[in-house]
Amino acid sequence: MEKIEVVENRDNVREHAPHPRKVAVVGAGKVGSTFAYALLLSGLVGEIVLIDIDHKRAEGEAMDLNHAMPLSHPTRIWAGDYPDCAGADVVVVAAGTAQRPGETRLDLVKRNAAIFNDIIPRITAHNQTGILLLATNPVDVLSYVAWKASGFPLQRVIGSGTVLDTARFRYLLGEHLGVDPRNVHAHVIGEHGDSEVPIWSLATVAGMRLDDFCRRENCDLGPEIRVRISEQTRDAAYEIIQRKGATHYAVAVGLLRIVESILRDQHTVLAVSSLVPGYYDIEDVYLSLPAVVSRGGVERVLHLPLNEQETEALRKSAAVLRGVLDELEHREGA
Ligand SMILES: NC(=O)c1ccc[n+]([C@@H]2O[C@H](COP(=O)([O-])OP(=O)(O)OC[C@H]3O[C@@H](n4cnc5c(N)ncnc54)[C@H](O)[C@@H]3O)[C@@H](O)[C@H]2O)c1
């Protein structure tokens, strides 16, 4: 009799204990596995499941990660399949083919859209309540494809967008200005790609616009330097891919930052990619603007007071993305 009570009590405790947070990673290549590694070290979740068309690769990554677990955080990590997406708070998708040297992100679209139209319904068949976080390039176009294929509300379909480009911009500005990049507030918006728009007019350090900062601190941030920093931000992926074949560390930490804000309901302002109906007259594309990210996903998108040049550049970026979607939709309809 006493024994039964103990069991009942245990069940009761289990029932009321918070369920361990779970993240599924679809595509356990360089980006997916580096993200899983960062996630393990963060101690944010109790379960990480890796899913890949190359199941052996996912198994190998899970084994390797498991051996880091006794030295980091208790986490259940395994190689699974789509049914294992059930119960995941966030499903991160980094499956697809990577950019080849010299290839633009937009060149990748056809190959990766077909993969997304296959895998997104397989995820949503087992998970109707989680958040889809997409990293595969071209991330804005594929986030739109994922949103359509999922049938999810747009708040729960998020592209990693220009979180990475924004980090690169802040790093370069921090280096140039001689301050910790974490103290540089600046954003890159629009496409994660060639038409992205660094927002110089609103960038600040210690609450000072950059012109004020440089006047007081006697630093040079003239037009030539701005062009150089903008170009280095935009072309960083090409430069890294030429040297080492892929980029994965910074994007993995960017994904972790987004996941942390979701799981901890942090309301962090991040330049994620989402549908931004009516912003600056932009319709029916996914692109990045600073957005408040919380437990429910993209809570709201912030309307920046852009100058004329930046507004024009953002509209052009949206037109580039809409053009690719038009081509894709036209081809699918044909
Ligand atoms: N959003 C960003 O900021 C950002 C940054 C870097 C890379 N990326 C993108 O991330 C993606 C992955 O890059 P990577 O370097 O990890 O490539 P990778 O080739 O190392 O990994 C891709 C993985 O996807 C798997 N895969 C392919 N088709 C699949 C399918 N149908 N179902 C399940 N898994 C499948 C492959 O087996 C492979 O393991 C690329 O599209 C790349 O351009 C995005």
Side-chain angles (χ1 to χ4, degrees):
M1 193 60 188
E2 208 181 314
K3 206 174 166 193
I4 292 169
E5 267 179 31
V6 171
V7 171
E8 276 179 0
N9 281 344
R10 277 200 192 134
D11 283 351
N12 207 20
V13 167
R14 211 170 288 142
E15 207 171 279
H16 290 98
H19 77 98
R21 290 160 172 162
K22 175 175 173 182
V23 168
V25 181
V26 180
K30 286 180 280 297
V31 171
S33 61
T34 311
F35 162 68
Y37 176 61
L39 187 61
L40 167 64
L41 296 189
S42 76
L44 263 178
V45 297
E47 286 187 57
I48 304 171
V49 56
L50 302 176
I51 299 161
D52 200 290
I53 198 167
D54 180 353
H55 188 69
K56 276 212 158 116
R57 182 173 187 168
E59 271 181 348
E61 295 295 355
M63 287 162 76
D64 200 0
L65 288 165
N66 270 320
H67 302 159
M69 204 240 290
L71 306 166
S72 53
H73 299 276
T75 311
R76 188 173 168 241
I77 306 168
W78 81 103
D81 207 339
Y82 289 95
D84 299 309
C85 289
D89 300 280
V90 183
V91 180
V92 175
V93 183
T97 25
Q99 228 170 324
R100 293 168 182 154
E103 186 181 47
T104 69
R105 290 188 183 92
L106 295 180
D107 289 337
L108 278 173
V109 71
K110 287 171 194 156
R111 285 188 287 145
N112 285 339
I115 292 176
F116 265 46
N117 279 322
D118 174 44
I119 64 179
I120 298 297
R122 294 215 224 174
I123 296 168
T124 57
H126 302 283
N127 187 328
Q128 278 288 311
T129 54
I131 289 175
L132 285 173
L133 174 55
L134 302 319
T136 310
N137 277 319
V139 70
D140 304 290
V141 173
L142 293 178
S143 299
Y144 184 94
V145 170
W147 171 57
K148 289 272 175 180
S150 68
F152 278 14
L154 52 94
Q155 290 83 357
R156 289 202 280 118
V157 184
I158 309 173
S160 64
T162 52
V163 168
L164 175 57
D165 316 71
T166 293
R168 288 171 173 155
F169 188 40
R170 290 170 62 204
Y171 165 74
L172 291 167
L173 278 171
E175 284 285 292
H176 184 75
L177 302 175
V179 298
D180 184 338
R182 292 173 303 174
N183 298 131
V184 178
H185 285 275
H187 284 97
V188 175
I189 63 172
E191 179 201 2
H192 168 59
D194 296 342
S195 72
E196 67 185 31
V197 188
I199 303 304
W200 288 94
S201 71
L202 300 173
T204 61
V205 174
M208 285 182 273
R209 296 264 165 101
L210 295 184
D211 285 340
D212 285 342
F213 180 87
C214 285
R215 208 171 302 120
R216 286 163 201 268
E217 292 292 309
N218 227 354
C219 58
D220 181 12
L221 200 56
E224 277 173 24
I225 293 171
R226 289 183 189 225
V227 167
R228 178 173 55 75
I229 290 177
S230 299
E231 286 177 355
Q232 283 179 343
T233 303
R234 186 195 61 199
D235 298 339
Y238 298 116
E239 293 293 328
I240 298 168
I241 288 167
Q242 245 172 31
R243 288 165 172 83
K244 58 170 264 190
T247 73
H248 49 110
Y249 294 119
V251 65
V253 178
L255 291 167
L256 178 66
R257 193 66 198 83
I258 300 167
V259 169
E260 182 189 16
S261 189
I262 292 167
L263 295 180
R264 293 201 167 138
D265 198 25
Q266 287 175 331
H267 303 261
T268 310
V269 175
L270 292 163
V272 291
S273 187
S274 66
L275 198 79
V276 289
Y279 279 62
Y280 314 95
D281 304 323
I282 293 167
E283 298 287 348
D284 209 27
V285 286
Y286 259 67
L287 55 70
S288 289
L289 284 170
V292 178
V293 178
S294 58
R295 192 72 186 87
V298 171
E299 192 182 284
R300 60 188 196 277
V301 177
L302 303 181
H303 209 298
L304 298 175
L306 303 176
N307 67 27
E308 232 172 78
Q309 211 184 352
E310 291 161 346
T311 306
E312 191 46 36
L314 180 64
R315 287 198 182 116
K316 274 195 186 142
S317 189
V320 168
L321 290 167
R322 189 62 244 168
V324 178
L325 285 166
D326 284 346
E327 253 180 59
L328 200 63
E329 283 159 4
H330 175 72
R331 213 177 46 99
E332 276 167 1

